[in-house]
Amino acid sequence: MAAEHPFNGILKTLEKPGGGGEFGKYYSLPALNDPRIDALPYSIRILLESAIRNCDEFQVKSNDVEKIIDWKNTAPKQVEIPFKPARVLLQDFTGVPAVVDLACMRDAMNKLGGDSNKINPLVPVDLVIDHSVQVDVARSENAVQANMELEFQRNKERFGFLKWGSNAFNNMLVVPPGSGIVHQVNLEYLGRVVFNTNGVLYPDSVVGTDSHTTMIDGLGVAGWGVGGIEAEAAMLGQPMSMVLPGVVGFKLLGKLRDGVTATDLVLTVTQMLRKHGVVGKFVEFYGEGMSELSLADRATIANMSPEYGATMGFFPVDHVTLQYLKLTGRSDETVSMIESYLRANKMFVDYSEPQVERVYSSYLELNLEDVEPCVSGPKRPHDRVPLKEMKVDWQACLNNKVGFKGFAVPQESQKKIVEFTFHETPAQLRHGDVVIAAITSCTNTSNPSVMLGAALVAKKACDLGLQVKPWIKTSLAPGSGVVTKYLQRSGLQKYLNQLGFHIVGYGCTTCIGNSGDIDEAVASAITENDIVAAAVLSGNRNFEGRVHPLTRANYLASPPLVVAYALAGTVDIDFDTEPIGIGKDGTEVFFRDIWPSSEEIANVVQSSVLPDMFKDTYNAITKGNPMWNNLSVPSGTLYAWDSASTYIHEPPYFKDMSMSPPGAHGVKNAYCLLNFGDSITTDHISPAGSIHKDSPAARYLIERGVDRRDFNSYGSRRGNDEVMARGTFANIRIVNKFLNGEVGPKTIHIPSGEKLSVFDAAMKYKTEGHDMIILAGAEYGSGSSRDWAAKGPMLLGVKAVIAKSFERIHRSNLVGMGIIPLCFKTGEDAETLGLTGHERYTIDLPNSVNEIRPGQDVTVVTDNGKTFSCTLRFDTEVELAYFSHGGILQYVIRNLINAKH
């Protein structure tokens, strides 16, 4: 007989309102009778309920529950707690390797004599295929169909594999391509808000393998991004180990001024929070300004949590949330259950009642009236530029030395005009000219007010006779079919089409670099004349090299501003004083002539966005589409690996695995593979974007008979470790100090002095029997959570990374792959210690994991007599266990096999 649950005493029954029976049982926080709970932030209450419900005195202990209740005193001490999310969310780029790993783990279980069917998700897993569609065809009525056909041609193998996974694994829903963007589908359809499983009610919570999983925080669901590695562990019932976070209370007052968008607001909030410093913290929004923020506006702010660095940007459930749930077609019964449960468990905010003051770790305040129209760029999401200062800022960027805000264009060539021919018409290009204008990304496409705002700008521009230059690549990629329905109902889609903003597909597209080629004539004009061309997109990231290799300046802007900049054709413009273009009667047309009022937008939203649109869209989603339904896939619970496949390859993680863990180890006489400065992102580390024709990955594919036009992107080949290892550190913009200022994916093989691709150098070290380490600066691994940013270095043979600081998810991914993360002591780095990277490094660690403490000091010694101390960034006992097992997946397999003994 199972031991009694430690918190059985607070398991209560939730009655239906009006006495119509009961919804189910729930663990009642008020029944704990602990006054500390009333002052807890709402986001922490969700962690508390999860710990109580999952308490088994093994994975989750009563002591963990007490730590969370005592959050006010424990959070400043950085205590660890376990967390078991209610579900896991995947997209296809990160989902393919997760399913590859699960399939591979089944094989490993089998070889070691365990039951391979134990490898099954224990919580619901939703996988939305949204990262594969590229903007190959734009400015055309049949773009959606054409791009989808190309998407299926390129990705048939991956899609077939995912379809196999949806049948082979329990608890896994795969939403087919062409349905929408994962975070918008999560918001409009997948988000439960409250679960009712086997008669027990509990708050929805989710971890996702995409850093923008935080978008769901706008719906009052606790969710954030984790690496693929942690997501796999969560699927297999492992608790996630996390530091109990501090919570920044962000008070909102007033309301947005006329003509100011949710995007302007999120870029302002991002800059404020970046400045405040919120890495590793939750941000919780409250205050009377909340009633003025639609749910879509909240979701936009929550979406950009990774850009301001927080784990979550959380909006507790209130009446606005319930209205949105009804609007999106959730049933009245479901909404009634959600409200009853959250009220009963003190997790609902009712702004009509007096508010209990909650305690926060720190406080920020913003009056919404102070927000002004703005964009962010040209290279980072938190570099906000007020619209009225844009022209001056752009001029400064041309002058400034190369950096986040500089291109160092010589004074004499700043006004250069390049003449070229575009499809037989004469054309011109200058610095700052827009060559890509994309309405893209769940950040904004899930928000009807900015989408219909963009459509109104298009209508006003068309009425005045403005046009977009034909060589600007314009596109519109909504995050769900609902957008198409309301744009059509409003009668405004035709104006977007007139300006070239035809719908190109339902997926991430330009936001993740799937922007497709730009016309060859334009591309040549840029490269041959060294033009700093611009992209303007309604996305959430604009790191260099991400949007398109040829757009060096990339600005984040609201969808209506994307249309405005497309019409202007340049970012080198002052919208207040300079005309956007010349209208049909020869008069100058200004920004103010095409900008809609907030009231105009609200009226169109009111009449065009209807609940049936959501119901119809999502009823159709599970039925798939003809291309998906015609994919034939093998049956069977073990995957039949095809050795000839260049997409899906059996990884080598468990090759010589035995039942006994390898134990802890230091690093001896390692060479430095790469020597980096600050802000090396996962875009630099992990293979992303297109596969360069001269790269090691290209060589591998050509050797296997793959034609260059079928290379596809790295993201699409994440299921093949051979391609991914070769694409690690292959970013064209990477800066390695060994190359003395030269930019690109090369390094120096120290013993021979040869300049090689990073992969070739690593293989040479491996053949010679040498370990490798990496030296880095601050914020190593910032950006999207990418499991390949950890798997890649591990496959190259990297044993440790010594950095000034790490991004949260990336550090834990390195640990999950058995790589040792070390931090220089405060005030020290490679330069102050006089390290050139040409030394050999020995890291002294005990051989028994029991002798290692999380966060202890470790001595590093070089072969030229330098000794320095670092902080060992294994942050928890659980992470030490992973290290001793050689990684998290090995740990899970051994535990599952041992569980039967």
Side-chain angles (χ1 to χ4, degrees):
M1 148 158 192
E4 185 164 302
H5 191 289
F7 289 93
N8 253 352
I10 60 166
L11 194 61
K12 303 288 181 203
T13 300
L14 185 68
E15 306 289 345
K16 291 188 175 176
E22 59 177 69
F23 284 121
K25 304 261 185 282
Y26 71 103
Y27 288 94
S28 163
L29 301 186
L32 285 170
N33 285 327
D34 193 320
R36 292 175 295 178
I37 295 173
D38 290 338
L40 285 181
Y42 287 96
S43 46
I44 299 296
R45 295 178 198 189
I46 293 176
L47 300 183
L48 174 61
E49 189 283 337
S50 170
I52 288 171
R53 181 168 31 87
N54 290 300
C55 186
D56 58 359
E57 299 300 3
F58 172 60
Q59 287 187 333
V60 183
K61 302 180 174 175
S62 306
N63 181 32
D64 296 315
V65 173
E66 170 54 29
K67 279 185 203 168
I68 301 172
I69 294 175
D70 200 30
W71 169 83
K72 184 181 163 187
N73 299 312
T74 51
K77 298 180 187 147
Q78 296 277 296
V79 300
E80 274 299 314
I81 56 153
F83 176 58
K84 294 184 100 168
R87 60 189 173 98
V88 173
L89 187 69
L90 308 171
Q91 33 90 333
D92 55 304
F93 269 20
T94 49
V96 166
V99 180
V100 164
D101 288 353
L102 289 175
C104 189
M105 287 171 84
R106 276 196 173 171
D107 291 348
M109 282 288 271
N110 219 25
K111 281 186 201 131
L112 290 169
D115 171 10
S116 58
N117 286 325
K118 275 192 178 173
I119 302 285
N120 247 322
L122 299 175
V123 295
V125 175
D126 301 305
L127 188 156
V128 180
I129 300 177
D130 66 356
H131 270 53
S132 298
V133 63
Q134 298 186 28
V135 190
D136 291 295
V137 178
R139 300 187 84 139
S140 143
E141 294 285 350
N142 77 329
V144 172
Q145 187 60 23
N147 287 328
M148 194 155 171
E149 281 167 14
L150 286 163
E151 179 187 5
F152 268 83
Q153 277 167 31
R154 287 189 186 117
N155 298 290
K156 204 170 146 192
E157 242 182 279
R158 299 169 59 242
F159 291 174
F161 176 67
L162 290 174
K163 197 170 168 182
W164 166 81
S166 69
N167 300 325
F169 294 102
N170 306 335
N171 246 342
M172 187 180 283
L173 168 76
V174 175
V175 175
S179 307
I181 303 177
V182 58
H183 308 307
Q184 187 159 347
V185 174
N186 194 18
L187 196 68
E188 294 174 352
Y189 175 64
L190 297 171
R192 280 60 156 193
V193 188
V194 171
F195 266 90
N196 188 345
T197 307
N198 305 328
V200 176
L201 286 86
Y202 52 96
D204 186 3
S205 58
V206 58
V207 292
T209 53
D210 188 283
S211 49
H212 295 102
T213 300
T214 52
M215 186 161 195
I216 200 69
D217 304 342
L219 194 67
V221 172
W224 60 86
V226 294
I229 299 157
E230 289 135 303
E232 289 165 36
M235 283 182 221
L236 296 167
Q238 293 300 305
M240 286 175 35
S241 187
M242 62 185 283
V243 173
L244 183 61
V247 183
V248 177
F250 199 125
K251 189 173 191 177
L252 297 170
L253 305 162
K255 65 183 279 191
L256 293 173
R257 285 181 308 183
D258 192 44
V260 175
T261 66
T263 319
D264 301 322
L265 170 59
V266 73
L267 296 177
T268 306
V269 167
T270 298
Q271 189 186 36
M272 282 176 72
L273 286 168
R274 262 276 162 193
K275 202 170 149 198
H276 186 74
V278 292
V279 172
K281 297 188 174 92
F282 289 173
V283 176
E284 187 166 291
F285 292 89
Y286 70 105
E288 47 270 39
M290 290 285 270
S291 56
E292 295 295 339
L293 276 191
S294 73
L295 195 115
D297 291 356
R298 297 172 181 194
T300 297
I301 295 171
N303 175 289
M304 282 188 72
S305 295
E307 281 64 51
Y308 42 82
T311 304
M312 280 210 294
F314 188 74
F315 290 82
V317 176
D318 59 14
H319 287 104
V320 174
T321 322
L322 301 178
Q323 271 169 326
Y324 179 82
L325 290 169
K326 286 179 178 159
L327 169 70
T328 49
R330 271 84 163 195
S331 73
D332 288 347
E333 166 86 350
T334 303
V335 176
S336 166
M337 175 193 80
I338 290 169
E339 182 175 6
S340 303
Y341 169 78
L342 294 173
R343 280 186 183 276
N345 228 0
K346 296 207 169 166
M347 294 179 175
F348 185 84
V349 184
D350 190 332
Y351 287 105
S352 64
E353 295 171 358
Q355 296 299 301
V356 177
E357 273 301 309
R358 283 175 304 287
V359 176
Y360 292 111
S361 313
S362 63
Y363 297 82
L364 274 174
E365 190 173 290
L366 172 66
N367 189 329
L368 298 177
E369 281 158 31
D370 296 338
V371 176
E372 55 185 344
C374 57
V375 296
S376 271
K379 302 183 191 186
R380 293 192 302 188
H382 52 281
D383 290 334
R384 187 179 71 91
V385 187
L387 209 54
K388 58 178 191 286
E389 291 166 25
M390 183 61 181
K391 190 182 176 79
V392 174
D393 194 80
W394 172 253
Q395 294 295 332
C397 286
L398 288 180
N399 287 320
N400 293 344
K401 68 177 199 300
V402 174
F404 294 123
K405 292 290 284 186
F407 297 105
V409 175
Q411 203 74 39
E412 62 279 7
S413 54
Q414 287 184 10
K415 296 271 182 270
K416 171 163 69 177
I417 299 175
V418 174
E419 308 278 347
F420 69 105
T421 308
F422 178 82
H423 299 256
E424 288 153 33
T425 42
Q428 290 184 337
L429 208 57
R430 298 174 174 80
H431 292 302
D433 276 8
V434 174
V435 295
I436 290 177
I439 299 175
T440 176
S441 171
C442 52
T443 309
N444 285 295
T445 67
S446 52
N447 195 328
S449 61
V450 289
M451 296 303 281
L452 288 162
L456 284 169
V457 170
K459 178 183 189 303
K460 289 172 187 278
C462 290
D463 291 348
L464 291 167
L466 295 182
Q467 284 173 325
V468 173
K469 294 188 181 83
W471 57 84
I472 298 178
K473 186 166 188 177
T474 42
S475 62
L476 164 59
S480 88
V482 176
V483 179
T484 310
K485 288 191 166 72
Y486 66 64
L487 281 172
Q488 276 164 349
R489 185 184 166 90
S490 68
L492 297 172
Q493 178 67 52
K494 60 174 186 270
Y495 300 107
L496 285 164
N497 289 359
Q498 243 172 290
L499 298 182
F501 286 96
H502 296 81
I503 293 180
V504 294
Y506 298 89
C508 304
T509 63
T510 307
C511 184
I512 57 162
N514 287 357
S515 46
D517 291 335
I518 45 184
D519 188 272
E520 273 177 29
V522 180
S524 305
I526 294 171
T527 47
E528 287 162 21
N529 300 283
D530 206 19
I531 288 288
V532 183
V536 182
L537 65 152
S538 61
N540 45 39
R541 292 231 165 107
N542 53 347
F543 299 133
E544 208 176 0
R546 179 184 176 99
V547 174
H548 190 283
L550 297 181
T551 57
R552 280 157 64 191
N554 301 282
Y555 285 95
L556 304 182
S558 65
L561 275 178
V562 171
V563 177
Y565 275 112
L567 289 161
T570 178
V571 296
D572 185 8
I573 181 172
D574 178 347
F575 280 146
D576 281 349
T577 59
E578 296 174 87
I580 272 189
I582 304 297
K584 54 187 169 205
D585 53 2
T587 55
E588 294 184 331
V589 175
F590 286 85
F591 180 78
R592 55 184 170 271
D593 303 326
I594 60 168
W595 201 252
S597 71
S598 301
E599 191 182 355
E600 275 176 273
I601 295 172
N603 290 340
V604 182
V605 170
Q606 192 67 40
S607 59
S608 309
V609 185
L610 307 168
D612 283 351
M613 295 177 176
F614 292 90
K615 282 188 186 139
D616 296 348
T617 301
Y618 289 111
N619 282 339
I621 219 170
T622 43
K623 299 190 176 76
N625 53 54
M627 284 189 240
W628 175 259
N629 296 338
N630 292 336
L631 274 180
S632 65
V633 297
S635 55
T637 57
L638 293 176
Y639 188 67
W641 303 99
D642 171 5
S643 57
S645 169
T646 54
Y647 276 104
I648 307 294
H649 182 264
E650 183 176 9
Y653 312 138
F654 313 119
K655 214 160 72 190
D656 305 314
M657 183 174 163
S658 69
M659 277 307 293
S660 48
H665 57 84
V667 177
K668 272 209 164 39
N669 267 331
Y671 280 103
C672 177
L673 177 65
L674 291 150
N675 185 0
F676 291 132
D678 295 343
S679 292
I680 290 291
T681 70
T682 49
D683 280 341
H684 292 118
I685 306 166
S686 94
S690 55
I691 297 173
H692 196 275
K693 62 179 191 306
D694 304 323
S695 64
R699 217 164 54 216
Y700 170 86
L701 292 170
I702 289 163
E703 282 163 11
R704 277 154 190 76
V706 178
D707 195 37
R708 192 180 150 203
R709 60 161 198 274
D710 297 325
F711 278 1
N712 211 331
S713 64
Y714 279 115
S716 66
R717 293 190 183 270
R718 280 187 183 182
N720 185 324
D721 57 281
E722 296 278 4
V723 173
M724 297 307 276
R726 286 164 174 78
T728 302
F729 298 113
N731 185 304
I732 50 169
R733 299 263 178 232
I734 202 160
V735 179
N736 171 10
K737 292 183 189 174
F738 284 153
L739 300 184
N740 301 323
E742 185 192 328
V743 175
K746 297 261 193 265
T747 194
I748 302 296
H749 174 255
I750 307 285
S752 66
E754 276 180 277
K755 184 159 87 172
L756 299 169
S757 75
V758 177
F759 175 78
D760 291 340
M763 291 309 104
K764 202 169 160 77
Y765 281 129
K766 258 189 154 172
T767 330
E768 296 161 355
H770 297 308
D771 283 349
M772 284 158 274
I773 62 136
I774 287 170
L775 290 177
E779 292 179 4
Y780 181 74
S782 52
S784 302
S785 58
R786 296 230 170 103
D787 51 346
W788 276 112
K791 286 176 174 171
M794 184 273 289
L795 291 172
L796 293 181
V798 172
K799 302 295 183 202
V801 179
I802 310 177
K804 277 171 79 170
S805 62
F806 291 93
E807 192 278 335
R808 177 183 70 86
I809 299 173
H810 183 61
R811 185 204 60 79
S812 75
N813 281 351
L814 290 174
V815 174
M817 281 290 118
I819 294 174
I820 305 167
L822 295 172
C823 273
F824 289 111
K825 289 291 174 194
T826 312
E828 293 186 350
D829 59 19
E831 284 188 5
T832 64
L833 292 166
L835 305 171
T836 63
H838 290 260
E839 310 83 357
R840 297 182 72 172
Y841 293 81
T842 297
I843 298 165
D844 194 23
L845 271 183
N847 286 340
S848 160
V849 79
N850 301 329
E851 292 170 35
I852 305 176
R853 290 186 324 284
Q856 73 172 53
D857 283 357
V858 169
T859 303
V860 183
V861 180
T862 65
D863 63 337
N864 61 351
K866 290 202 160 70
T867 301
F868 57 97
S869 177
C870 287
T871 306
L872 179 66
R873 289 298 310 276
F874 293 134
D875 290 358
T876 67
E877 300 293 341
V878 174
E879 289 188 347
L880 283 172
Y882 295 160
F883 177 55
S884 136
H885 277 264
I888 191 169
L889 303 180
Q890 292 85 339
Y891 170 85
V892 169
I893 290 172
R894 290 190 185 103
N895 272 5
L896 285 172
I897 293 177
N898 286 329
K900 73 168 188 197
H901 294 320

